[in-house]
């Protein structure tokens, strides 16, 4: 028997997943090694079953086959759910009572990327656990090779049926445009909308790993231009877009305005809080102050938390939160659902709310307090330096007596509004954002960010054309 050992490209072992450029930093042998190491963790914990799914990327079938081979070599039973959205794999891990789950997906990255998202038991597998996979592979620390099994399991109909159980909009006939972006949620979307009342238009509804229409990231306004045009053409009530693996959602109202992640969370939270008064609603540090204020106004308990879907899921479980969300479009329902980020399910809940409205979604958006903010600003900063810069900024702000929330980086509150600076967990960048009630206030906040970056020896940022009111 050949001893197993393997070295990953260090850039592929990320905070929330394993991810790289196919053929360069991520290869089929990496997939086998992930199966061998993750499978060993499951086996040593007395687990026997792992669910596996994959997205629509051209490289995914080969990576999935190697991953399954690695899991089988640990003596496990592998439940292969095939090609579909990441949340369908999460659902399968519950429905099939799996001891672990791995999704082969490049999420919203360019077509030449791919990666792996993991669950151990019912919890996200991330951070130090991903580094543990790297150590185990390098040291050959795996269970003895044995012969497991695999079988195909189609959970798609059960997934759709379970989601539709929570449709609560009656028979009101909405007009809805859907854009799964040629991602792995495309087939599920078409089957799901065929069972919903109303008129549904699906664009880019074929799974295609080359993403011919546009990049599958609904947080980028350019990628929503097509759906905005279709909403106008069809006189639709709203448009709903998914990212490449359908765990993130983008929403456009009846007037073609984008609802950002925090605005969408306000709409959903008001509804959830009717049946969960006082419930804790979690959002990441990049969210607008308007969200936290509106949650409190609706009788909820707002909680600002660290950015990152794995971190949010863990905090939800800890606090018993019924609903959480991120600016990036990850929406997590634990109210009636399982607490994982699921764009098709979130869409069904949103449609129910819109169907029960007396007015339009644009009325709700227009009635929110108006603020001016920057989009997410990114500044290059070496991985070796980025956390130190944030620590230096925090120390200077403390010395100045500034009002700071430091749950994830620094979020500085001033009379004008707030600005945020944090280190990205996944890239060699610092991330900033600012929000104010006036243009002049926003300029002062941006000057505050620039001052702090320069004090830490970084170049003055270029904010030109970065304003985006919402």
């Amino acid at each position: 028997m050949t001893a197993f050992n393997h070295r990953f490209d260090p850039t592929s072992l990320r905070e929330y997943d394993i991810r790289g450029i196919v053929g360069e930093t991520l290869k089929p042998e990496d997939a086998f090694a992930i199966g061998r190491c993750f499978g060993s963790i499951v086996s040593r914990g007395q687990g026997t079953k792992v669910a596996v799914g994959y997205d629509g990327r051209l490289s995914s079938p080969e990576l999935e086959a190697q991953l399954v081979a690695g899991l089988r070599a640990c003596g496990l039973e592998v439940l292969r759910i095939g090609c579909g959205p990441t949340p369908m794999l999460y659902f399968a891990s519950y429905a099939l009572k799996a001891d672990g789950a791995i999704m082969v997906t490049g999420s919203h990255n360019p077509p030449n990327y791919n990666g792996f998202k993991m669950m151990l038991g019912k919890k996200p597998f991330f951070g130090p656990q991903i580094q543990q996979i790297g150590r185990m592979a390098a040291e050959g620390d795996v269970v003895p090779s044995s012969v497991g099994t695999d079988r195909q399991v189609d959970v798609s109909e059960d997934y759709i049926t379970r989601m539709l159980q929570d449709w609560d909009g009656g028979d009101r006939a909405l007009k809805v445009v859907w854009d799964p972006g040629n991602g792995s949620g495309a087939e599920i979307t078409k089957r799901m909308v065929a069972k919903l009342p109303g008129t549904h238009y699906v664009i880019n509804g074929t799974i295609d790993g080359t993403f011919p229409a546009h990049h599958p990231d609904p947080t980028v306004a350019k990628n929503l231009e097509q759906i905005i045009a279709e909403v106008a053409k069809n006189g639709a009530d709203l448009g709903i877009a998914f990212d490449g693996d359908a765990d993130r959602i983008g929403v456009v109202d009846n007037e073609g305005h984008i609802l950002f992640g925090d605005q969408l969370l306000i709409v959903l939270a008001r509804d959830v809080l009717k049946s969960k008064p006082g419930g804790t609603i979690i959002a990441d540090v990049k969210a607008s102050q308007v969200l936290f204020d509106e949650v409190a106004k609706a009788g909820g308990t707002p909680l600002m938390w660290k950015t990152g879907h794995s971190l949010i899921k863990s905090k939800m479980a800890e606090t018993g939160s019924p609903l959480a969300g991120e600016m990036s479009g990850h929406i997590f329902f634990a109210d009636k659902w399982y607490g994982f980020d699921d764009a098709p399910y979130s869409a069904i809940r949103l449609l129910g709310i819109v169907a029960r409205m007396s007015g339009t979604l644009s009325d709700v958006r227009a009635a929110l307090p108006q603020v001016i903010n920057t989009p997410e600003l990114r500044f290059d900063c070496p991985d070796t330096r980025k956390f130190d810069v944030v620590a230096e900024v925090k120390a200077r702000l403390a010395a100045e007596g500034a009002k700071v929330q430091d749950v994830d980086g620094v979020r500085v509150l001033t009379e004008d509004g707030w600005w945020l600076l944090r280190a990205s967990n996944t890239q060699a960048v610092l991330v900033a954002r600012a929000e104010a009630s006036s243009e002049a206030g926003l300029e002062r906040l941006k000057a505050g960010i620039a001052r702090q970056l320069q004090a830490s020896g970084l170049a003055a940022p270029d904010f030109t054309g970065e304003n985006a009111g919402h």
Side-chain angles (χ1 to χ4, degrees), residues 64-250:
E64 188 262 0
Q66 288 297 312
L67 173 68
V68 170
L71 291 164
R72 281 188 53 169
C74 299
L76 297 169
E77 179 186 15
V78 186
L79 309 170
R80 304 171 79 169
I81 69 160
C83 181
T86 292
M88 186 169 84
L89 176 76
Y90 296 156
F91 170 80
S93 75
Y94 284 84
L96 303 174
K97 298 184 170 57
D99 302 300
I102 305 180
M103 181 72 185
V104 180
T105 177
S107 188
H108 60 281
N109 287 287
N112 58 330
Y113 279 74
N114 217 323
F116 304 82
K117 293 179 180 175
M118 293 166 273
M119 282 175 74
L120 185 60
K122 301 292 179 279
K123 294 182 177 175
F125 184 92
F126 69 105
Q129 294 169 307
I130 287 174
Q131 298 306 318
Q132 181 190 358
I133 293 272
R135 283 194 304 274
M136 288 173 69
E139 295 165 9
D141 175 21
V142 294
V143 296
S145 181
S146 57
V147 183
T149 60
D150 68 276
R151 59 188 171 99
Q152 301 289 335
V153 185
D154 186 354
V155 298
S156 60
E157 194 60 30
D158 289 345
Y159 175 54
I160 293 166
T161 301
R162 176 61 189 85
M163 286 194 288
L164 291 170
Q165 270 181 27
D166 292 345
W167 163 253
D168 57 2
D171 299 319
R172 181 170 165 200
L174 295 174
K175 270 191 188 178
V176 189
V177 179
W178 301 79
D179 183 4
N182 298 113
S184 63
E187 297 300 326
I188 287 290
T189 301
K190 289 189 291 191
R191 288 167 58 189
M192 180 176 85
V193 303
K195 299 185 177 191
L196 282 168
T199 307
H200 300 271
Y201 310 88
V202 180
I203 59 174
N204 307 319
T206 305
I207 297 175
D208 184 340
T210 66
F211 305 116
H214 59 75
H215 189 60
D217 182 350
T219 60
V220 177
K222 184 172 175 287
N223 300 330
L224 296 173
E225 287 171 0
Q226 191 184 359
I227 196 171
I228 289 168
E230 289 291 325
V231 166
K233 185 175 97 177
N234 295 295
D237 294 287
L238 72 163
I240 293 172
F242 300 147
D243 75 334
D245 65 332
D247 63 358
R248 299 193 304 141
I249 188 171

Side-chain angles (χ1 to χ4, degrees), residues 9 60 88 93 100 116 128 140 150 171 196 225 228 260 268 270 293 296 324 372 377 383 405 413 418:
D9 185 297
S60 291
M88 186 169 84
S93 75
F116 304 82
D150 68 276
D171 299 319
L196 282 168
E225 287 171 0
I228 289 168
F260 294 91
L268 300 173
R270 285 171 175 167
D293 294 345
I372 311 161
L377 306 166
D383 278 325
Q405 292 161 316
L413 306 176
W418 59 270

Side-chain angles (χ1 to χ4, degrees), residues 170-348:
D171 299 319
R172 181 170 165 200
L174 295 174
K175 270 191 188 178
V176 189
V177 179
W178 301 79
D179 183 4
N182 298 113
S184 63
E187 297 300 326
I188 287 290
T189 301
K190 289 189 291 191
R191 288 167 58 189
M192 180 176 85
V193 303
K195 299 185 177 191
L196 282 168
T199 307
H200 300 271
Y201 310 88
V202 180
I203 59 174
N204 307 319
T206 305
I207 297 175
D208 184 340
T210 66
F211 305 116
H214 59 75
H215 189 60
D217 182 350
T219 60
V220 177
K222 184 172 175 287
N223 300 330
L224 296 173
E225 287 171 0
Q226 191 184 359
I227 196 171
I228 289 168
E230 289 291 325
V231 166
K233 185 175 97 177
N234 295 295
D237 294 287
L238 72 163
I240 293 172
F242 300 147
D243 75 334
D245 65 332
D247 63 358
R248 299 193 304 141
I249 188 171
V251 177
V252 171
D253 71 17
N254 50 297
E255 292 183 349
H257 291 289
I258 298 167
L259 258 76
F260 294 91
D262 45 10
Q263 294 175 317
L264 173 59
L265 195 57
I266 292 170
V267 176
L268 300 173
R270 285 171 175 167
D271 189 63
V272 167
L273 288 168
K274 289 173 188 169
S275 59
K276 295 277 191 303
T280 298
I281 308 295
I282 302 173
D284 70 331
V285 292
K286 292 184 282 190
S288 170
Q289 188 58 41
V290 173
L291 163 66
F292 299 104
D293 294 345
E294 290 297 314
V295 165
K297 214 182 284 183
T301 306
L303 175 63
M304 187 185 295
W305 195 239
K306 299 171 184 177
T307 294
H309 64 92
S310 301
L311 301 169
I312 297 264
K313 278 183 258 204
S314 300
K315 195 65 177 175
M316 284 183 83
E318 180 192 319
T319 58
S321 161
L323 177 69
E326 290 187 279
M327 284 302 293
S328 56
H330 288 279
I331 301 288
F332 313 79
F333 272 96
D335 174 52
K336 303 179 187 174
W337 200 238
Y338 302 89
F340 53 73
D341 35 343
D342 188 327
Y345 180 79
S346 300
I348 284 176

